[in-house]
Amino acid sequence: MTATAVLTARALLLDMDGTLVNSDASVERVWRRWSERHGLDGDEVMKVVHGRQGYASMALLLPGRPMEQNYADNARMLAEETADTEGVVPIPGASEFLASLRGLPHALVTSADVPLSTARMAAAGLDLPEVRVTAESVGASKPDPEGFLKGAAELGVAPADCVVFEDSGAGIAAGRSAGMTVVGVGSRAAFHAPDVVDDLTQVRVEAAGDGTIRLYIG
């Protein structure tokens, strides 16, 4: 973005991977191994997996395979990813951004499960938000809006009054389907044309006196 945009919200909903945490190195290692096991092109697989729960990515990549196998494979993948935190680091500005949200309504909405989200946030040196919607909390993966709608409900805020921070196409689609404003973070988001920042150093948060949150983006 070349100019500062000002957004107003009553709550913020934050994706984790690619938005708060750079886990690309771990994701690449685990998913490329999976690609080799199934005879798939690793580069093509990486175009699909960001933002989705593993079983949903597998369903797209291996459409003829029973979902029971995808769920079982997903459980193994989650365990691999949880154990592999080498190179997991915070997105620039993430720590300061989260600190600026203390006392303001916000939630983590991630396709990771509790062990994986806990491990990656810890590896990146980031505090977990008090309200968290993880893989265990929903029945459908992004791009379904269920996770974001659940986050808004847990915060007691209407979807239209929420701003989502996301990096992936699936996550951006989920936020938009939920009727929320979306701010994209990083290069993956740039392909999907929301307001986009390179990282969280380009976001400033200000609590307004009327209970709203003012966001300066760019």
Side-chain angles (χ1 to χ4, degrees), residues 24-43 45-46 49 58 61-62 73 76-86 120:
D24 283 0
S26 174
V27 173
E28 287 264 350
R29 285 191 292 269
V30 171
W31 276 100
R32 285 186 182 277
R33 287 198 298 269
W34 183 88
S35 302
E36 289 177 8
R37 289 198 295 269
H38 294 280
L40 298 175
D41 184 295
D43 291 339
V45 167
M46 295 313 301
V49 301
M58 293 170 191
L61 293 162
L62 297 173
D73 219 359
R76 289 189 290 271
M77 295 280 284
L78 285 169
E80 284 186 53
E81 289 184 288
T82 300
D84 182 359
T85 58
E86 184 180 350
R120 283 188 175 161

PDB file of all heavy atoms in Angstrom, residues 24-43 45-46 49 58 61-62 73 76-86 120:
ATOM      1  N   ASP A  24       6.855 -20.796   7.305  1.00  0.00           N
ATOM      2  CA  ASP A  24       6.976 -21.346   5.954  1.00  0.00           C
ATOM      3  C   ASP A  24       8.019 -22.454   5.860  1.00  0.00           C
ATOM      4  O   ASP A  24       7.824 -23.437   5.130  1.00  0.00           O
ATOM      5  CB  ASP A  24       7.327 -20.240   4.957  1.00  0.00           C
ATOM      6  CG  ASP A  24       6.134 -19.373   4.597  1.00  0.00           C
ATOM      7  OD1 ASP A  24       5.027 -19.630   5.135  1.00  0.00           O
ATOM      8  OD2 ASP A  24       6.292 -18.435   3.798  1.00  0.00           O
ATOM      9  N   ALA A  25       9.138 -22.326   6.580  1.00  0.00           N
ATOM     10  CA  ALA A  25      10.192 -23.340   6.485  1.00  0.00           C
ATOM     11  C   ALA A  25       9.678 -24.700   6.949  1.00  0.00           C
ATOM     12  O   ALA A  25       9.905 -25.723   6.293  1.00  0.00           O
ATOM     13  CB  ALA A  25      11.407 -22.917   7.313  1.00  0.00           C
ATOM     14  N   SER A  26       8.969 -24.710   8.078  1.00  0.00           N
ATOM     15  CA  SER A  26       8.415 -25.961   8.593  1.00  0.00           C
ATOM     16  C   SER A  26       7.338 -26.513   7.671  1.00  0.00           C
ATOM     17  O   SER A  26       7.309 -27.714   7.374  1.00  0.00           O
ATOM     18  CB  SER A  26       7.834 -25.733   9.994  1.00  0.00           C
ATOM     19  OG  SER A  26       7.164 -26.884  10.463  1.00  0.00           O
ATOM     20  N   VAL A  27       6.440 -25.651   7.217  1.00  0.00           N
ATOM     21  CA  VAL A  27       5.360 -26.081   6.323  1.00  0.00           C
ATOM     22  C   VAL A  27       5.937 -26.697   5.049  1.00  0.00           C
ATOM     23  O   VAL A  27       5.489 -27.757   4.591  1.00  0.00           O
ATOM     24  CB  VAL A  27       4.440 -24.892   5.984  1.00  0.00           C
ATOM     25  CG1 VAL A  27       3.424 -25.284   4.913  1.00  0.00           C
ATOM     26  CG2 VAL A  27       3.722 -24.396   7.233  1.00  0.00           C
ATOM     27  N   GLU A  28       6.944 -26.042   4.497  1.00  0.00           N
ATOM     28  CA  GLU A  28       7.581 -26.557   3.273  1.00  0.00           C
ATOM     29  C   GLU A  28       8.182 -27.945   3.511  1.00  0.00           C
ATOM     30  O   GLU A  28       7.985 -28.867   2.701  1.00  0.00           O
ATOM     31  CB  GLU A  28       8.679 -25.595   2.808  1.00  0.00           C
ATOM     32  CG  GLU A  28       8.164 -24.309   2.207  1.00  0.00           C
ATOM     33  CD  GLU A  28       8.099 -24.365   0.694  1.00  0.00           C
ATOM     34  OE1 GLU A  28       8.628 -25.325   0.093  1.00  0.00           O
ATOM     35  OE2 GLU A  28       7.502 -23.437   0.110  1.00  0.00           O
ATOM     36  N   ARG A  29       8.914 -28.109   4.606  1.00  0.00           N
ATOM     37  CA  ARG A  29       9.567 -29.400   4.856  1.00  0.00           C
ATOM     38  C   ARG A  29       8.532 -30.514   4.971  1.00  0.00           C
ATOM     39  O   ARG A  29       8.666 -31.586   4.354  1.00  0.00           O
ATOM     40  CB  ARG A  29      10.416 -29.323   6.129  1.00  0.00           C
ATOM     41  CG  ARG A  29      11.712 -28.559   5.962  1.00  0.00           C
ATOM     42  CD  ARG A  29      12.611 -28.752   7.168  1.00  0.00           C
ATOM     43  NE  ARG A  29      12.076 -28.124   8.381  1.00  0.00           N
ATOM     44  CZ  ARG A  29      12.351 -26.889   8.769  1.00  0.00           C
ATOM     45  NH1 ARG A  29      13.126 -26.112   8.036  1.00  0.00           N
ATOM     46  NH2 ARG A  29      11.850 -26.408   9.899  1.00  0.00           N
ATOM     47  N   VAL A  30       7.513 -30.285   5.774  1.00  0.00           N
ATOM     48  CA  VAL A  30       6.541 -31.341   6.049  1.00  0.00           C
ATOM     49  C   VAL A  30       5.709 -31.666   4.806  1.00  0.00           C
ATOM     50  O   VAL A  30       5.509 -32.837   4.465  1.00  0.00           O
ATOM     51  CB  VAL A  30       5.640 -30.918   7.228  1.00  0.00           C
ATOM     52  CG1 VAL A  30       4.475 -31.896   7.399  1.00  0.00           C
ATOM     53  CG2 VAL A  30       6.459 -30.863   8.521  1.00  0.00           C
ATOM     54  N   TRP A  31       5.237 -30.636   4.125  1.00  0.00           N
ATOM     55  CA  TRP A  31       4.371 -30.881   2.969  1.00  0.00           C
ATOM     56  C   TRP A  31       5.145 -31.393   1.759  1.00  0.00           C
ATOM     57  O   TRP A  31       4.594 -32.162   0.955  1.00  0.00           O
ATOM     58  CB  TRP A  31       3.585 -29.625   2.616  1.00  0.00           C
ATOM     59  CG  TRP A  31       2.343 -29.514   3.451  1.00  0.00           C
ATOM     60  CD1 TRP A  31       2.168 -28.743   4.569  1.00  0.00           C
ATOM     61  CD2 TRP A  31       1.118 -30.222   3.259  1.00  0.00           C
ATOM     62  NE1 TRP A  31       0.905 -28.923   5.079  1.00  0.00           N
ATOM     63  CE2 TRP A  31       0.242 -29.825   4.293  1.00  0.00           C
ATOM     64  CE3 TRP A  31       0.671 -31.135   2.311  1.00  0.00           C
ATOM     65  CZ2 TRP A  31      -1.055 -30.318   4.409  1.00  0.00           C
ATOM     66  CZ3 TRP A  31      -0.627 -31.645   2.414  1.00  0.00           C
ATOM     67  CH2 TRP A  31      -1.473 -31.233   3.456  1.00  0.00           C
ATOM     68  N   ARG A  32       6.383 -31.014   1.584  1.00  0.00           N
ATOM     69  CA  ARG A  32       7.151 -31.565   0.460  1.00  0.00           C
ATOM     70  C   ARG A  32       7.459 -33.051   0.686  1.00  0.00           C
ATOM     71  O   ARG A  32       7.474 -33.830  -0.272  1.00  0.00           O
ATOM     72  CB  ARG A  32       8.414 -30.743   0.214  1.00  0.00           C
ATOM     73  CG  ARG A  32       8.110 -29.401  -0.464  1.00  0.00           C
ATOM     74  CD  ARG A  32       9.352 -28.641  -0.857  1.00  0.00           C
ATOM     75  NE  ARG A  32       8.993 -27.354  -1.444  1.00  0.00           N
ATOM     76  CZ  ARG A  32       8.648 -27.156  -2.720  1.00  0.00           C
ATOM     77  NH1 ARG A  32       8.619 -28.197  -3.559  1.00  0.00           N
ATOM     78  NH2 ARG A  32       8.346 -25.958  -3.175  1.00  0.00           N
ATOM     79  N   ARG A  33       7.681 -33.445   1.941  1.00  0.00           N
ATOM     80  CA  ARG A  33       7.837 -34.876   2.224  1.00  0.00           C
ATOM     81  C   ARG A  33       6.552 -35.620   1.884  1.00  0.00           C
ATOM     82  O   ARG A  33       6.575 -36.710   1.308  1.00  0.00           O
ATOM     83  CB  ARG A  33       8.230 -35.100   3.685  1.00  0.00           C
ATOM     84  CG  ARG A  33       9.658 -34.725   4.023  1.00  0.00           C
ATOM     85  CD  ARG A  33      10.107 -35.359   5.327  1.00  0.00           C
ATOM     86  NE  ARG A  33       9.318 -34.917   6.469  1.00  0.00           N
ATOM     87  CZ  ARG A  33       9.623 -33.862   7.235  1.00  0.00           C
ATOM     88  NH1 ARG A  33      10.712 -33.137   6.969  1.00  0.00           N
ATOM     89  NH2 ARG A  33       8.867 -33.528   8.251  1.00  0.00           N
ATOM     90  N   TRP A  34       5.432 -35.043   2.266  1.00  0.00           N
ATOM     91  CA  TRP A  34       4.132 -35.652   1.960  1.00  0.00           C
ATOM     92  C   TRP A  34       3.947 -35.743   0.445  1.00  0.00           C
ATOM     93  O   TRP A  34       3.464 -36.772  -0.055  1.00  0.00           O
ATOM     94  CB  TRP A  34       3.018 -34.814   2.590  1.00  0.00           C
ATOM     95  CG  TRP A  34       1.637 -35.368   2.398  1.00  0.00           C
ATOM     96  CD1 TRP A  34       0.989 -36.266   3.197  1.00  0.00           C
ATOM     97  CD2 TRP A  34       0.727 -35.058   1.325  1.00  0.00           C
ATOM     98  NE1 TRP A  34      -0.267 -36.540   2.693  1.00  0.00           N
ATOM     99  CE2 TRP A  34      -0.449 -35.805   1.540  1.00  0.00           C
ATOM    100  CE3 TRP A  34       0.799 -34.230   0.211  1.00  0.00           C
ATOM    101  CZ2 TRP A  34      -1.544 -35.742   0.695  1.00  0.00           C
ATOM    102  CZ3 TRP A  34      -0.294 -34.160  -0.649  1.00  0.00           C
ATOM    103  CH2 TRP A  34      -1.449 -34.918  -0.403  1.00  0.00           C
ATOM    104  N   SER A  35       4.322 -34.707  -0.277  1.00  0.00           N
ATOM    105  CA  SER A  35       4.194 -34.694  -1.738  1.00  0.00           C
ATOM    106  C   SER A  35       4.978 -35.835  -2.354  1.00  0.00           C
ATOM    107  O   SER A  35       4.485 -36.541  -3.262  1.00  0.00           O
ATOM    108  CB  SER A  35       4.694 -33.364  -2.308  1.00  0.00           C
ATOM    109  OG  SER A  35       4.002 -32.271  -1.769  1.00  0.00           O
ATOM    110  N   GLU A  36       6.206 -36.047  -1.884  1.00  0.00           N
ATOM    111  CA  GLU A  36       7.046 -37.115  -2.418  1.00  0.00           C
ATOM    112  C   GLU A  36       6.412 -38.484  -2.168  1.00  0.00           C
ATOM    113  O   GLU A  36       6.428 -39.358  -3.044  1.00  0.00           O
ATOM    114  CB  GLU A  36       8.433 -37.048  -1.783  1.00  0.00           C
ATOM    115  CG  GLU A  36       9.267 -35.850  -2.241  1.00  0.00           C
ATOM    116  CD  GLU A  36      10.600 -35.779  -1.525  1.00  0.00           C
ATOM    117  OE1 GLU A  36      10.925 -36.739  -0.788  1.00  0.00           O
ATOM    118  OE2 GLU A  36      11.298 -34.769  -1.695  1.00  0.00           O
ATOM    119  N   ARG A  37       5.847 -38.653  -0.973  1.00  0.00           N
ATOM    120  CA  ARG A  37       5.220 -39.938  -0.641  1.00  0.00           C
ATOM    121  C   ARG A  37       4.060 -40.256  -1.578  1.00  0.00           C
ATOM    122  O   ARG A  37       3.754 -41.428  -1.823  1.00  0.00           O
ATOM    123  CB  ARG A  37       4.736 -39.943   0.811  1.00  0.00           C
ATOM    124  CG  ARG A  37       5.834 -39.982   1.847  1.00  0.00           C
ATOM    125  CD  ARG A  37       5.332 -40.409   3.208  1.00  0.00           C
ATOM    126  NE  ARG A  37       4.395 -39.471   3.788  1.00  0.00           N
ATOM    127  CZ  ARG A  37       4.742 -38.449   4.580  1.00  0.00           C
ATOM    128  NH1 ARG A  37       6.034 -38.231   4.852  1.00  0.00           N
ATOM    129  NH2 ARG A  37       3.836 -37.655   5.090  1.00  0.00           N
ATOM    130  N   HIS A  38       3.403 -39.225  -2.092  1.00  0.00           N
ATOM    131  CA  HIS A  38       2.210 -39.432  -2.915  1.00  0.00           C
ATOM    132  C   HIS A  38       2.451 -39.124  -4.388  1.00  0.00           C
ATOM    133  O   HIS A  38       1.496 -39.091  -5.178  1.00  0.00           O
ATOM    134  CB  HIS A  38       1.061 -38.588  -2.368  1.00  0.00           C
ATOM    135  CG  HIS A  38       0.611 -39.023  -1.010  1.00  0.00           C
ATOM    136  ND1 HIS A  38      -0.234 -40.097  -0.816  1.00  0.00           N
ATOM    137  CD2 HIS A  38       0.930 -38.550   0.224  1.00  0.00           C
ATOM    138  CE1 HIS A  38      -0.429 -40.263   0.484  1.00  0.00           C
ATOM    139  NE2 HIS A  38       0.261 -39.349   1.128  1.00  0.00           N
ATOM    140  N   GLY A  39       3.726 -38.930  -4.761  1.00  0.00           N
ATOM    141  CA  GLY A  39       4.063 -38.725  -6.159  1.00  0.00           C
ATOM    142  C   GLY A  39       3.512 -37.438  -6.746  1.00  0.00           C
ATOM    143  O   GLY A  39       3.223 -37.383  -7.949  1.00  0.00           O
ATOM    144  N   LEU A  40       3.410 -36.405  -5.940  1.00  0.00           N
ATOM    145  CA  LEU A  40       2.870 -35.127  -6.385  1.00  0.00           C
ATOM    146  C   LEU A  40       3.979 -34.092  -6.527  1.00  0.00           C
ATOM    147  O   LEU A  40       5.020 -34.187  -5.877  1.00  0.00           O
ATOM    148  CB  LEU A  40       1.821 -34.620  -5.393  1.00  0.00           C
ATOM    149  CG  LEU A  40       0.588 -35.508  -5.206  1.00  0.00           C
ATOM    150  CD1 LEU A  40      -0.308 -34.936  -4.110  1.00  0.00           C
ATOM    151  CD2 LEU A  40      -0.187 -35.654  -6.512  1.00  0.00           C
ATOM    152  N   ASP A  41       3.746 -33.108  -7.364  1.00  0.00           N
ATOM    153  CA  ASP A  41       4.693 -32.017  -7.562  1.00  0.00           C
ATOM    154  C   ASP A  41       4.658 -31.090  -6.348  1.00  0.00           C
ATOM    155  O   ASP A  41       3.618 -30.495  -6.046  1.00  0.00           O
ATOM    156  CB  ASP A  41       4.324 -31.248  -8.825  1.00  0.00           C
ATOM    157  CG  ASP A  41       5.326 -30.158  -9.161  1.00  0.00           C
ATOM    158  OD1 ASP A  41       5.441 -29.198  -8.370  1.00  0.00           O
ATOM    159  OD2 ASP A  41       5.986 -30.250 -10.213  1.00  0.00           O
ATOM    160  N   GLY A  42       5.787 -30.978  -5.664  1.00  0.00           N
ATOM    161  CA  GLY A  42       5.839 -30.183  -4.448  1.00  0.00           C
ATOM    162  C   GLY A  42       5.469 -28.729  -4.653  1.00  0.00           C
ATOM    163  O   GLY A  42       4.788 -28.122  -3.803  1.00  0.00           O
ATOM    164  N   ASP A  43       5.885 -28.156  -5.769  1.00  0.00           N
ATOM    165  CA  ASP A  43       5.570 -26.749  -6.035  1.00  0.00           C
ATOM    166  C   ASP A  43       4.072 -26.547  -6.187  1.00  0.00           C
ATOM    167  O   ASP A  43       3.513 -25.548  -5.698  1.00  0.00           O
ATOM    168  CB  ASP A  43       6.284 -26.264  -7.299  1.00  0.00           C
ATOM    169  CG  ASP A  43       7.787 -26.167  -7.117  1.00  0.00           C
ATOM    170  OD1 ASP A  43       8.249 -26.075  -5.961  1.00  0.00           O
ATOM    171  OD2 ASP A  43       8.507 -26.196  -8.135  1.00  0.00           O
ATOM    172  N   VAL A  45       1.739 -28.489  -4.893  1.00  0.00           N
ATOM    173  CA  VAL A  45       1.137 -28.729  -3.583  1.00  0.00           C
ATOM    174  C   VAL A  45       1.213 -27.476  -2.712  1.00  0.00           C
ATOM    175  O   VAL A  45       0.249 -27.098  -2.040  1.00  0.00           O
ATOM    176  CB  VAL A  45       1.825 -29.925  -2.889  1.00  0.00           C
ATOM    177  CG1 VAL A  45       1.446 -30.003  -1.402  1.00  0.00           C
ATOM    178  CG2 VAL A  45       1.458 -31.223  -3.600  1.00  0.00           C
ATOM    179  N   MET A  46       2.346 -26.784  -2.751  1.00  0.00           N
ATOM    180  CA  MET A  46       2.521 -25.603  -1.912  1.00  0.00           C
ATOM    181  C   MET A  46       1.582 -24.464  -2.312  1.00  0.00           C
ATOM    182  O   MET A  46       1.305 -23.575  -1.509  1.00  0.00           O
ATOM    183  CB  MET A  46       3.977 -25.123  -1.953  1.00  0.00           C
ATOM    184  CG  MET A  46       4.976 -26.102  -1.364  1.00  0.00           C
ATOM    185  SD  MET A  46       4.494 -26.806   0.244  1.00  0.00           S
ATOM    186  CE  MET A  46       4.321 -25.322   1.226  1.00  0.00           C
ATOM    187  N   VAL A  49      -1.776 -25.515  -0.028  1.00  0.00           N
ATOM    188  CA  VAL A  49      -1.894 -25.877   1.390  1.00  0.00           C
ATOM    189  C   VAL A  49      -2.018 -24.700   2.351  1.00  0.00           C
ATOM    190  O   VAL A  49      -2.525 -24.874   3.472  1.00  0.00           O
ATOM    191  CB  VAL A  49      -0.699 -26.761   1.825  1.00  0.00           C
ATOM    192  CG1 VAL A  49      -0.665 -28.025   0.982  1.00  0.00           C
ATOM    193  CG2 VAL A  49       0.631 -26.012   1.733  1.00  0.00           C
ATOM    194  N   MET A  58      -5.612 -32.031   1.396  1.00  0.00           N
ATOM    195  CA  MET A  58      -5.481 -33.377   0.838  1.00  0.00           C
ATOM    196  C   MET A  58      -6.670 -33.739  -0.038  1.00  0.00           C
ATOM    197  O   MET A  58      -6.520 -34.395  -1.077  1.00  0.00           O
ATOM    198  CB  MET A  58      -5.334 -34.387   1.968  1.00  0.00           C
ATOM    199  CG  MET A  58      -4.049 -34.249   2.748  1.00  0.00           C
ATOM    200  SD  MET A  58      -4.086 -35.275   4.244  1.00  0.00           S
ATOM    201  CE  MET A  58      -2.628 -34.657   5.100  1.00  0.00           C
ATOM    202  N   LEU A  61      -6.047 -32.206  -3.333  1.00  0.00           N
ATOM    203  CA  LEU A  61      -4.893 -32.756  -4.038  1.00  0.00           C
ATOM    204  C   LEU A  61      -5.066 -34.216  -4.423  1.00  0.00           C
ATOM    205  O   LEU A  61      -4.502 -34.677  -5.415  1.00  0.00           O
ATOM    206  CB  LEU A  61      -3.649 -32.590  -3.163  1.00  0.00           C
ATOM    207  CG  LEU A  61      -3.208 -31.147  -2.942  1.00  0.00           C
ATOM    208  CD1 LEU A  61      -2.275 -31.051  -1.743  1.00  0.00           C
ATOM    209  CD2 LEU A  61      -2.531 -30.591  -4.196  1.00  0.00           C
ATOM    210  N   LEU A  62      -5.833 -34.969  -3.635  1.00  0.00           N
ATOM    211  CA  LEU A  62      -6.098 -36.390  -3.901  1.00  0.00           C
ATOM    212  C   LEU A  62      -7.610 -36.602  -3.892  1.00  0.00           C
ATOM    213  O   LEU A  62      -8.163 -37.202  -2.962  1.00  0.00           O
ATOM    214  CB  LEU A  62      -5.422 -37.273  -2.849  1.00  0.00           C
ATOM    215  CG  LEU A  62      -3.898 -37.211  -2.781  1.00  0.00           C
ATOM    216  CD1 LEU A  62      -3.385 -37.994  -1.578  1.00  0.00           C
ATOM    217  CD2 LEU A  62      -3.270 -37.743  -4.070  1.00  0.00           C
ATOM    218  N   ASP A  73      -4.240 -39.031   7.927  1.00  0.00           N
ATOM    219  CA  ASP A  73      -2.995 -38.439   7.435  1.00  0.00           C
ATOM    220  C   ASP A  73      -2.791 -37.053   8.047  1.00  0.00           C
ATOM    221  O   ASP A  73      -1.678 -36.661   8.406  1.00  0.00           O
ATOM    222  CB  ASP A  73      -3.051 -38.325   5.908  1.00  0.00           C
ATOM    223  CG  ASP A  73      -1.729 -38.654   5.238  1.00  0.00           C
ATOM    224  OD1 ASP A  73      -0.757 -38.949   5.954  1.00  0.00           O
ATOM    225  OD2 ASP A  73      -1.667 -38.607   3.999  1.00  0.00           O
ATOM    226  N   ARG A  76      -1.298 -37.199  11.518  1.00  0.00           N
ATOM    227  CA  ARG A  76       0.144 -37.441  11.486  1.00  0.00           C
ATOM    228  C   ARG A  76       0.902 -36.177  11.076  1.00  0.00           C
ATOM    229  O   ARG A  76       1.956 -35.858  11.640  1.00  0.00           O
ATOM    230  CB  ARG A  76       0.459 -38.579  10.510  1.00  0.00           C
ATOM    231  CG  ARG A  76       0.017 -39.961  10.986  1.00  0.00           C
ATOM    232  CD  ARG A  76       0.551 -41.067  10.096  1.00  0.00           C
ATOM    233  NE  ARG A  76      -0.089 -41.075   8.791  1.00  0.00           N
ATOM    234  CZ  ARG A  76      -1.204 -41.741   8.497  1.00  0.00           C
ATOM    235  NH1 ARG A  76      -1.815 -42.445   9.437  1.00  0.00           N
ATOM    236  NH2 ARG A  76      -1.715 -41.711   7.281  1.00  0.00           N
ATOM    237  N   MET A  77       0.364 -35.459  10.104  1.00  0.00           N
ATOM    238  CA  MET A  77       1.011 -34.231   9.640  1.00  0.00           C
ATOM    239  C   MET A  77       1.066 -33.180  10.751  1.00  0.00           C
ATOM    240  O   MET A  77       2.071 -32.482  10.922  1.00  0.00           O
ATOM    241  CB  MET A  77       0.249 -33.672   8.438  1.00  0.00           C
ATOM    242  CG  MET A  77       0.294 -34.550   7.220  1.00  0.00           C
ATOM    243  SD  MET A  77       1.835 -34.380   6.296  1.00  0.00           S
ATOM    244  CE  MET A  77       1.552 -32.804   5.501  1.00  0.00           C
ATOM    245  N   LEU A  78      -0.023 -33.046  11.498  1.00  0.00           N
ATOM    246  CA  LEU A  78      -0.050 -32.079  12.600  1.00  0.00           C
ATOM    247  C   LEU A  78       1.024 -32.410  13.634  1.00  0.00           C
ATOM    248  O   LEU A  78       1.698 -31.514  14.156  1.00  0.00           O
ATOM    249  CB  LEU A  78      -1.431 -32.057  13.258  1.00  0.00           C
ATOM    250  CG  LEU A  78      -2.531 -31.337  12.480  1.00  0.00           C
ATOM    251  CD1 LEU A  78      -3.894 -31.627  13.115  1.00  0.00           C
ATOM    252  CD2 LEU A  78      -2.281 -29.830  12.444  1.00  0.00           C
ATOM    253  N   ALA A  79       1.188 -33.696  13.923  1.00  0.00           N
ATOM    254  CA  ALA A  79       2.225 -34.103  14.874  1.00  0.00           C
ATOM    255  C   ALA A  79       3.609 -33.769  14.340  1.00  0.00           C
ATOM    256  O   ALA A  79       4.483 -33.296  15.087  1.00  0.00           O
ATOM    257  CB  ALA A  79       2.101 -35.594  15.176  1.00  0.00           C
ATOM    258  N   GLU A  80       3.833 -33.996  13.041  1.00  0.00           N
ATOM    259  CA  GLU A  80       5.122 -33.656  12.432  1.00  0.00           C
ATOM    260  C   GLU A  80       5.380 -32.157  12.511  1.00  0.00           C
ATOM    261  O   GLU A  80       6.481 -31.714  12.853  1.00  0.00           O
ATOM    262  CB  GLU A  80       5.139 -34.089  10.961  1.00  0.00           C
ATOM    263  CG  GLU A  80       5.322 -35.570  10.704  1.00  0.00           C
ATOM    264  CD  GLU A  80       5.461 -35.848   9.211  1.00  0.00           C
ATOM    265  OE1 GLU A  80       6.331 -35.216   8.566  1.00  0.00           O
ATOM    266  OE2 GLU A  80       4.698 -36.678   8.687  1.00  0.00           O
ATOM    267  N   GLU A  81       4.365 -31.356  12.167  1.00  0.00           N
ATOM    268  CA  GLU A  81       4.538 -29.913  12.175  1.00  0.00           C
ATOM    269  C   GLU A  81       4.767 -29.377  13.587  1.00  0.00           C
ATOM    270  O   GLU A  81       5.548 -28.446  13.781  1.00  0.00           O
ATOM    271  CB  GLU A  81       3.307 -29.247  11.546  1.00  0.00           C
ATOM    272  CG  GLU A  81       3.208 -29.455  10.049  1.00  0.00           C
ATOM    273  CD  GLU A  81       2.033 -28.712   9.451  1.00  0.00           C
ATOM    274  OE1 GLU A  81       0.885 -29.137   9.691  1.00  0.00           O
ATOM    275  OE2 GLU A  81       2.260 -27.709   8.762  1.00  0.00           O
ATOM    276  N   THR A  82       4.082 -29.970  14.572  1.00  0.00           N
ATOM    277  CA  THR A  82       4.242 -29.529  15.960  1.00  0.00           C
ATOM    278  C   THR A  82       5.661 -29.783  16.446  1.00  0.00           C
ATOM    279  O   THR A  82       6.228 -28.980  17.201  1.00  0.00           O
ATOM    280  CB  THR A  82       3.223 -30.245  16.862  1.00  0.00           C
ATOM    281  OG1 THR A  82       1.897 -29.937  16.403  1.00  0.00           O
ATOM    282  CG2 THR A  82       3.358 -29.804  18.311  1.00  0.00           C
ATOM    283  N   ALA A  83       6.254 -30.894  16.003  1.00  0.00           N
ATOM    284  CA  ALA A  83       7.610 -31.239  16.428  1.00  0.00           C
ATOM    285  C   ALA A  83       8.678 -30.458  15.676  1.00  0.00           C
ATOM    286  O   ALA A  83       9.831 -30.393  16.116  1.00  0.00           O
ATOM    287  CB  ALA A  83       7.842 -32.738  16.236  1.00  0.00           C
ATOM    288  N   ASP A  84       8.316 -29.849  14.555  1.00  0.00           N
ATOM    289  CA  ASP A  84       9.292 -29.178  13.692  1.00  0.00           C
ATOM    290  C   ASP A  84       9.094 -27.663  13.774  1.00  0.00           C
ATOM    291  O   ASP A  84       8.335 -27.081  12.999  1.00  0.00           O
ATOM    292  CB  ASP A  84       9.118 -29.656  12.244  1.00  0.00           C
ATOM    293  CG  ASP A  84      10.132 -29.042  11.289  1.00  0.00           C
ATOM    294  OD1 ASP A  84      10.961 -28.221  11.752  1.00  0.00           O
ATOM    295  OD2 ASP A  84      10.109 -29.379  10.094  1.00  0.00           O
ATOM    296  N   THR A  85       9.781 -27.023  14.708  1.00  0.00           N
ATOM    297  CA  THR A  85       9.674 -25.563  14.856  1.00  0.00           C
ATOM    298  C   THR A  85      10.956 -24.844  14.434  1.00  0.00           C
ATOM    299  O   THR A  85      11.084 -23.640  14.651  1.00  0.00           O
ATOM    300  CB  THR A  85       9.332 -25.180  16.308  1.00  0.00           C
ATOM    301  OG1 THR A  85      10.337 -25.707  17.184  1.00  0.00           O
ATOM    302  CG2 THR A  85       7.968 -25.701  16.713  1.00  0.00           C
ATOM    303  N   GLU A  86      11.872 -25.568  13.789  1.00  0.00           N
ATOM    304  CA  GLU A  86      13.103 -24.926  13.329  1.00  0.00           C
ATOM    305  C   GLU A  86      12.773 -23.859  12.288  1.00  0.00           C
ATOM    306  O   GLU A  86      12.058 -24.113  11.316  1.00  0.00           O
ATOM    307  CB  GLU A  86      14.043 -25.962  12.720  1.00  0.00           C
ATOM    308  CG  GLU A  86      15.386 -25.380  12.300  1.00  0.00           C
ATOM    309  CD  GLU A  86      16.308 -26.418  11.692  1.00  0.00           C
ATOM    310  OE1 GLU A  86      15.989 -27.616  11.754  1.00  0.00           O
ATOM    311  OE2 GLU A  86      17.355 -26.023  11.151  1.00  0.00           O
ATOM    312  N   ARG A 120       3.985 -23.158  17.830  1.00  0.00           N
ATOM    313  CA  ARG A 120       4.507 -22.146  16.910  1.00  0.00           C
ATOM    314  C   ARG A 120       4.521 -20.753  17.530  1.00  0.00           C
ATOM    315  O   ARG A 120       5.468 -19.985  17.321  1.00  0.00           O
ATOM    316  CB  ARG A 120       3.690 -22.152  15.610  1.00  0.00           C
ATOM    317  CG  ARG A 120       4.069 -23.330  14.723  1.00  0.00           C
ATOM    318  CD  ARG A 120       3.414 -23.259  13.358  1.00  0.00           C
ATOM    319  NE  ARG A 120       3.917 -24.347  12.502  1.00  0.00           N
ATOM    320  CZ  ARG A 120       3.308 -24.778  11.423  1.00  0.00           C
ATOM    321  NH1 ARG A 120       2.168 -24.221  11.029  1.00  0.00           N
ATOM    322  NH2 ARG A 120       3.835 -25.757  10.707  1.00  0.00           N
TER     323      ARG A 120
END
